[in-house]
Structure formats: C-alpha cells, structure tokens
Amino acid sequence: MQHHRGYPTLLAALVAAACSSAAHAQATDGPIQEVVVTAQRTASLESKTPVAMSVLSGEALREAGFDSPAELAKRLPNVHLDGAADGLRITIRGVSNSDATDKGDPSAAFMLDGIYIARPQNQNGLLLDVDRIEVLRGPQGTLYGRNTTAGVINVISRAPTRVLEAEFGADAGNYGSRKANGMLNVPVADWLALRAAVAVDRHDSYLRNGQGTRHTLGQDADSRSVRLSAKATLGPAASLLLRADHSSNHYNADSFVSDNNFFRNADSGNPVWYGASAGDRLTNRFVPPNMVPEQGWARSRTSGIGAEFTWNLGPATLYYLGAHREFDLDFLTNYIYRVTPATTLGVRQVYTGGQRQDSHEVRVASNGTGALSAQAGLYWFDERSHSNYAFRDLMPIGLPPYYAYPSDPTLAKSRAAFGQLTWRVTGQLRATAGLRYTQDEKSRVGATSFQQGPVFNPATDFQLPNAALIETDKRTWRLGLDYDLAPSTFVYGTLSTGYKAGGFNDGCVAGITLGVACPAATAFTPGFLYYQPETLKALELGAKTRFWNKRASLNVAAFKYDYTNLQLSGNAIIAGAPRFITTNAGVASVRGLELDGKVQATADDRFTYGLTLLDAHYVSYTPDGVQSWDGRKLDRAPSHVLSAGYERRVRLAGHEVRAGVNARRSAAYMIGVPSRLVQYRIPAMSTVDATLAWRPDDAPWSVAAYAHNLGNKIAPATIDSFGMSVPGAPRTYGVRLDYRYQ
C-alpha cells in the first residue's frame, strides 16, 4: 500500500466542506447531544477536545447488548479488542502487545475510573453500571503516562447522585445466556449519597468438543460483580468519592482450537485461509497423541477499593486519586503444542498466580477562564505479582514430566511528575505544552524448573534461574495548537511522544545476583536478556465540526507515527527449553486517516458512519536476525474499514418502537508470529448487528431484542506460536427487560 501523502489536503477539504454545510444549513430541530468528557483530565465537550477519541455511553451499551470490553470494537474506529486466552488484547491503529505475563506491559492503557489496570487478565470483566467509556487513540504519554503509546481506554462508572433511583434488567439468549443486573441509588442526607450495583452473566461454551471426550470446552462464563460507592460533600468546596468492588468468574480455560480450523498448510508455516462453516471453525478436533485431556477449568477473583478527593481552593483545585487492587487466577487447560510441522503434542498446564497493585496520584489544576490554564501532578505505582506455570506431557521432546516457571516476586514500580499548560493566545487560538518524566523499575526472582513431580525436589530436579532487574526512564512531551474556525468547528494539531517501559526475558546474566545466583554456564548475554523501551513520535492533525444546525457531526484525524524499538513477543525454544521471548522490532511506521460522525436526519432517524485508512508496517525488522520483514504489515492493521449504522424510531398508538442496524466491513489484515517467521492473513470480512426495542409511553419498563454477528462469520482473535487460535464469538442473540424507578 502506498503512503497517503494527501491526507492533510483531504483533511482541509473535508473541513472546508463541513464549514460550507454549516453556513448553508436550514434551521431544523433535534441537535446531536453534546457529551462532556475528561480526556484531558478536565471536563470539556467532546466536540471541543483536541484528541481523536470515541465515547460510548452506558445507555448505548445497554441498548446494544454489550456487557464486556471485548465487544466494543465494532463501534470504535481503528480499534481491535480481542478476548484472548490470556486476557484482553488491545490494538489501536495497528499497535498491540502479546506479552500478558506478569513481566509484560500493554501498549494501550486500560483504566477503570482513572485507575490503571496492569494485567490483561483483569481487564475483560463485566461492564457494571457504566456512565461512559472514553477511548483515546494515539499516544497519551503526558497526562496518562507510560504504556499508552497506542492510546487509552477509560471505563467510567456512574457515581452516587442526590436522587432516589433504582434499575433492574434481565436478559436471556442463545448458548444458554442469562444475565441480570441491578442498581440502587439512595441519598442518605444532603451531604451523603450511596449507590450499589450488581450484575450476573452466565452462558454456555461457544466451542464444540470433537476430541472424543465428554469434557466441556471454554468461551463460557459464570461471572458475578458488585460495586458499592459513597459520595460525600465535605463542606462547600470539597467532596470525597469512595468505591469498593468485587468480581469473580468461574469458566473453562480451554478457549482455543487449532489454526487448522481456519488455514490450510498451517502446520508447514505457509497458512492459506479457506472457507468453512461457523460450526467447523468452533470445533476442537485435536486429538493429542501423547496424553488424554483433562476437564479444563478456571477461577478468577478481583477486588479493589479506591478514593477520589476534590478540593476547590479558589484559584486552583486539588485532586487525589488512589486505589488498591487485587487479582487472583487459577486454571487448568489443555494446550495444543506444535513442535514441528509433523508433530503436535497435547500439553496440560496448571497455573496459579496473583497480583496486587497500589497507585496514587495528586494533581492540581487551575480554575477560571484567564489566558493561562495549567495542571501538574505526581504519580506513584507499585505492583507485586507471583505465578507458577506448570506444564506436563512434554517428555517426547526430551523434557521431564513436569516443566514449570515459578516466579515470586515480580515487581514493577513507576514514579512520575507531569504538567501541562494551555495559553489562550486569542479568543479562537490556544497553544498547549505538556511534559512528563517517568522512572520505572522492574525485577523478578524465578526459575525455569525441570521436575519429576508436581513439587520441586532438590534431590532429583534442577532449575535455571530467571532473575533480572531493569531501570528505565523517559521524558515524554506534547505540543499542540487548536483553533476555532467557527462556533461549531475547530481544528487542532499535536506533536507528541510516547513511551513503553523496557523489560527482560527468561534467564539471567552472569555475575548478577538477585535473590539467586546466576551460573556462568547457563547465563545469557545482556543483549538477549533485556529489551529496550518502546518509543514513538506522533504527528496528528484533526478537525471536529457540528453542522446542519448541529444535527450532523464530522470528526477527522490524520496521523503519522514513527516507532522505535517496537516490542514483539512469542514463544521459542532457547537452550533446549520453551521460553516466552520479547524482542525489539527496530523501526515501524504508522500513518492513516479516520473519519466518523453522526447525522440526526429527522427527529426519528439517526445515522452513524465511519471510515478509516491505515498503513502500519515495519520499516526495519529481522525477527530471526536474518530474514527481513521490512515493509510487512503490523498485526490487526487493515488498510481500510467502513462502518455504518441506522436507527429508526416509530410512534404507534402510545408506544415507541426503535429499530437499529450497525454494519462493519474490514479489509484483510495480518496476525504475525515472528518467532516462527509466519504471518496469518485474515481476509476481508463484514459483520452486522441489529437491535429492536419497545416501550409504552410514560412506562418505567422496556423490552429489547438484539443480535450480534448476524452473518455468523468467525475469524481468529489470536494465534500463538504453538498453533492455537482463539476464535471470535459466533452469532448471539437475546431478549432483555429493563425497569427503572425514579
């Protein structure tokens, strides 16, 4: 694909056309509702925020039947959200990450009420009592910090209000789906309000067992979530919001099938897509030659407490945001393990692990409407993890009966100071400059363990140390200009940088002792053990306009990224043992164009539309040090995606009926496995969702039906180094009853 040198010209033409439409619009009713966001850490209208972003309201999520983050990508330009076996896989504008271990970091930050959630396994939970979800595309290193080179997803819960209200919803659908949720908000006093929200989500497995056993398979759910919150007014100038939440999920960890379900010649490393029914795609037919699978299972538990404190000091407001969160996960799964094109084994894995994280941020933001506005803050983050991956059944390749990776502890610490200043040069022109300095420290004490039994025995077993410590730091900055072309149209430009912390692979370096000594005979070179921070510089030009008397909107963004040391991960056999390795990909380039908006054609007809163009490729990368991938596409980076939606409201004798349809057409894209020098090409594909809702006038209740993936098209969400693929969700549908008291 050629580089799109005409993007800025096209951007200017689109802005001019929008302004012309605004000038000639006829007076009509029903403007598009404005949305207040906090993408820049202060409240502003989405249409006046100089960031490429999408906002999904809690009401829109409920109407669409979405209850987990992995379902949201259909509504988001240039975003993939995949429910991988090891957690939520976030890809924004072709930038992703596949290291979900306790030493890895994402490229896009996932946040819950502004709190960074470090582990992907803890990100794809139920969307509980959501006010809105803000998705920021592009690096956000100044205000949000490290690991935001791709962007930020911030799930914002509804806070307690001074209104007595309650909600209840129940849902039933195919695959045995049954869901329920409830909310109760109680104003206890003038200064105190309480809110409680609960949700339950259960459904059977999407997968079919073709292995000849009676075991059930994965992609099922049995989730429960609860959140309690309290908001207190502390005098005329201060407030405190407290939240406590807990979630659990009992499910099956066997959530994958062989890549042969999608590709011919996958075993030989030359995969070619072929057509098949959804049932064939979702059937696990792999019969291990070396073992009998066990019944897979998994249990996860997460909980957290958090506080938001706000104190208006007059010229400035003081903010504090802090939380303690815990996550535990245990599972048994049956892996597909491709050793050579002619040999694929079955492997049983037992995992147990947990993570604890604490974060604190203190920030001061100026008040008033003067020529200068500023904010500055300090950030502190600590994470401690422990885990043990224990594998069996690898004796045919010369490994002992048990092969394990115990680690305790894995530590991550991050400290940062940041500030951003905006100068209102004129009534229409504003200039912004921001700077953040971050220090990161990671360490791990663990081992690669070769065992005769499930518990390590020093008399019969031996271990290779996995022990490393790395410290990195980075200054990230942002420069921006935005200008009001008209009361409802503004343009912006930003030049910014992003940073993702460096890390380490399995092994150790001779002469370094970190909990355990590193024997010289098994040591690795620093160049192999450590990988460098991922950095980028990004230029973005954008425009946002409301025209046709604010009944139509157009958002446009053209961007260009230059990546250095892009981090890519996969499994490889190193020194006779399977290891999970991350390397730096040299240089990568990303450039593209995004266009999206809404049209309120009449009081009863609403359209949404979107178009993205993307060229994301490696500029310089040799996965094995020999073969060049220069010019090849990055993962999940289709050259273009077109989306469209339509909703119609009909009035019928005291009743309201709403019908909607949303379609998305994606060009082909790649999923790469650099450690095997393989790229899987996913062909162009379309998906369609539909909704239908009915509510009597003035009734507190409504009934809705929804259907996702009407065409039942199944594509792999992920493919790993062993040939295991996690399929996307099949066609699902359901009926929902909602009741609201206020």
Side-chain angles (χ1 to χ4, degrees):
M1 178 178 178
Q2 294 184 352
H3 296 172
H4 299 284
R5 302 183 186 276
Y7 284 169
T9 303
L10 177 57
L11 173 63
L14 289 168
V15 172
C19 294
S20 175
S21 299
H24 294 89
Q26 300 297 317
T28 54
D29 296 326
I32 296 173
Q33 184 177 2
E34 288 280 13
V35 180
V36 176
V37 299
T38 53
Q40 294 289 284
R41 310 300 301 276
T42 57
S44 63
L45 296 177
E46 183 276 329
S47 63
K48 294 293 185 180
T49 302
V51 176
M53 63 181 302
S54 300
V55 183
L56 300 174
S57 69
E59 183 70 12
L61 299 175
R62 182 190 61 80
E63 291 176 353
F66 295 157
D67 54 19
S68 69
E71 299 173 301
L72 305 180
K74 303 173 188 178
R75 304 288 193 271
L76 302 172
N78 259 338
V79 175
H80 272 259
L81 296 174
D82 298 302
D86 51 10
L88 185 66
R89 186 72 52 80
I90 304 173
T91 306
I92 301 178
R93 293 176 173 175
V95 180
S96 187
N97 174 70
S98 57
D99 186 354
T101 67
D102 50 10
K103 66 180 180 63
D105 288 310
S107 295
F110 185 93
M111 295 187 169
L112 177 60
D113 296 315
I115 300 298
Y116 176 67
I117 307 297
R119 296 299 107 210
Q121 300 90 337
N122 198 16
Q123 297 174 355
N124 201 26
L126 289 178
L127 296 173
L128 177 63
D129 197 28
V130 172
D131 179 74
R132 67 188 185 278
I133 299 176
E134 298 181 5
V135 181
L136 284 57
R137 301 186 295 278
Q140 308 296 325
T142 301
L143 293 179
Y144 291 91
R146 65 177 189 141
N147 304 336
T148 60
T149 53
V152 171
I153 297 176
N154 192 11
V155 179
I156 301 170
S157 307
R158 291 194 286 182
T161 66
R162 295 184 178 182
V163 177
L164 178 62
E165 58 181 339
E167 293 179 357
F168 172 76
D171 185 307
N174 62 333
Y175 291 97
S177 174
R178 49 271 196 225
K179 308 173 187 178
N181 67 277
M183 180 277 295
L184 176 63
N185 187 95
V186 180
V188 178
D190 291 342
W191 61 275
L192 178 64
L194 304 178
R195 190 180 190 95
V198 297
V200 176
D201 182 6
R202 298 178 180 176
H203 67 78
D204 299 335
S205 173
Y206 295 152
L207 302 183
R208 302 178 181 181
N209 190 340
Q211 298 178 294
T213 70
R214 302 184 66 179
H215 302 324
T216 58
L217 299 182
Q219 296 200 358
D220 59 333
D222 185 359
S223 301
R224 300 169 179 84
S225 296
V226 59
R227 179 187 298 118
L228 303 175
S229 52
K231 187 171 185 180
T233 301
L234 307 177
S239 65
L240 176 64
L241 174 59
L242 302 175
R243 291 188 174 100
D245 64 83
H246 178 79
S247 299
S248 65
N249 189 14
H250 293 186
Y251 62 100
N252 194 322
D254 288 339
S255 59
F256 32 74
V257 298
S258 170
D259 53 4
N260 292 308
N261 283 32
F262 298 92
F263 300 91
R264 294 190 175 93
N265 302 322
D267 294 352
S268 63
N270 185 31
V272 179
W273 182 272
Y274 68 90
S277 68
D280 288 339
R281 302 283 200 215
L282 295 169
T283 300
N284 186 350
R285 301 181 189 83
F286 174 66
V287 179
N290 60 314
M291 51 81 83
V292 177
E294 295 184 40
Q295 175 61 63
W297 55 268
R299 295 184 296 268
S300 68
R301 299 159 299 281
T302 182
S303 59
I305 54 174
E308 296 181 39
F309 176 70
T310 304
W311 187 10
N312 188 330
L313 302 173
T317 298
L318 173 68
Y319 300 90
Y320 165 77
L321 177 63
H324 171 79
R325 300 202 60 85
E326 300 184 356
F327 174 69
D328 294 286
L329 174 64
D330 305 283
F331 66 75
L332 165 67
T333 190
N334 299 275
Y335 275 156
I336 300 170
Y337 189 100
R338 181 175 297 139
V339 181
T340 67
T343 305
T344 301
L345 304 178
V347 176
R348 288 169 289 179
Q349 181 198 353
V350 175
Y351 172 89
T352 180
Q355 177 252 4
R356 307 291 183 267
Q357 67 170 66
D358 294 279
S359 61
H360 303 275
E361 181 183 87
V362 177
R363 183 170 57 92
V364 177
S366 63
N367 296 326
T369 58
L372 293 175
S373 61
Q375 56 180 311
L378 300 173
Y379 179 74
W380 184 93
F381 174 85
D382 270 10
E383 178 190 14
R384 182 186 181 103
S385 305
H386 66 90
S387 63
N388 187 20
Y389 301 79
F391 299 88
R392 298 177 62 185
D393 311 307
L394 286 170
M395 290 84 76
I397 62 171
L399 290 173
Y402 287 83
Y403 174 68
Y405 291 93
S407 295
D408 190 8
T410 300
L411 303 177
K413 299 180 180 181
S414 185
R415 310 288 186 261
F418 63 93
Q420 184 162 293
L421 176 70
T422 298
W423 175 33
R424 296 173 179 86
V425 183
T426 69
Q428 291 77 40
L429 178 65
R430 294 159 297 276
T432 298
L435 178 66
R436 188 182 189 105
Y437 176 68
T438 303
Q439 290 182 327
D440 288 306
E441 179 183 306
K442 289 184 184 179
S443 65
R444 178 179 62 169
V445 176
T448 300
S449 184
F450 302 84
Q451 303 172 186
Q452 298 301 312
V455 178
F456 181 77
N457 182 350
T460 59
D461 308 332
F462 73 96
Q463 293 181 326
L464 302 176
N466 294 328
L469 169 67
I470 185 172
E471 297 179 355
T472 58
D473 66 282
K474 186 69 177 179
R475 291 175 178 86
T476 52
W477 48 265
R478 176 186 180 92
L479 299 174
L481 289 173
D482 58 272
Y483 181 76
D484 295 322
L485 288 178
S488 298
T489 301
F490 91 116
V491 295
Y492 66 91
T494 60
L495 182 63
S496 59
T497 61
Y499 155 72
K500 178 178 173 181
F504 42 77
N505 292 308
D506 297 333
C508 59
V509 173
I512 295 180
T513 299
L514 185 67
V516 293
C518 183
T522 61
F524 290 100
T525 64
F528 171 84
L529 186 67
Y530 297 102
Y531 52 88
Q532 298 305 307
E534 175 182 292
T535 61
L536 87 158
K537 183 180 292 184
L539 172 66
E540 183 162 321
L541 302 176
K544 297 184 180 183
T545 182
R546 304 294 181 264
F547 55 96
W548 195 19
N549 244 18
K550 297 186 178 181
R551 296 185 60 168
S553 67
L554 171 66
N555 304 317
V556 186
F559 53 90
K560 182 180 185 299
Y561 298 171
D562 291 317
Y563 264 95
T564 303
N565 288 326
L566 188 69
Q567 295 173 7
L568 299 175
S569 304
N571 290 281
I573 303 295
I574 305 294
R579 299 175 185 266
F580 193 78
I581 301 299
T582 296
T583 59
N584 294 112
V587 180
S589 174
V590 178
R591 63 183 69 195
L593 175 71
E594 297 166 349
L595 181 154
D596 67 272
K598 300 177 182 178
V599 178
Q600 190 71 46
T602 72
D604 298 321
D605 297 275
R606 182 177 64 186
F607 296 86
T608 59
Y609 62 91
L611 171 66
T612 65
L613 305 176
L614 185 63
D615 176 16
H617 64 273
Y618 301 107
V619 175
S620 175
Y621 180 38
T622 53
D624 61 350
V626 178
Q627 181 170 317
S628 172
W629 276 25
D630 297 1
R632 294 199 185 191
K633 288 186 176 182
L634 301 186
D635 283 6
R636 301 171 182 85
S639 60
H640 61 274
V641 176
L642 178 65
S643 60
Y646 171 62
E647 183 183 86
R648 169 71 175 172
R649 183 179 67 174
V650 178
R651 306 285 305 166
L652 295 173
H655 298 81
E656 178 182 281
V657 178
R658 289 179 180 265
V661 61
N662 282 274
R664 184 177 186 271
R665 172 73 175 179
S666 171
Y669 58 89
M670 299 292 185
I671 296 180
V673 183
S675 60
R676 291 180 52 216
L677 301 177
V678 173
Q679 282 189 306
Y680 295 81
R681 182 180 185 275
I682 314 301
M685 199 168 295
S686 300
T687 58
V688 179
D689 295 347
T691 59
L692 180 65
W694 168 62
R695 183 179 68 85
D697 288 351
D698 301 322
W701 57 271
S702 63
V703 177
Y706 61 87
H708 300 156
N709 189 12
L710 282 172
N712 213 15
K713 302 290 184 63
I714 309 294
T718 63
I719 306 173
D720 73 1
S721 308
F722 302 128
M724 290 188 294
S725 172
V726 174
R731 176 171 54 227
T732 57
Y733 51 83
V735 177
R736 179 177 178 85
L737 170 68
D738 284 289
Y739 177 86
R740 181 180 179 88
Y741 169 81
Q742 182 173 346

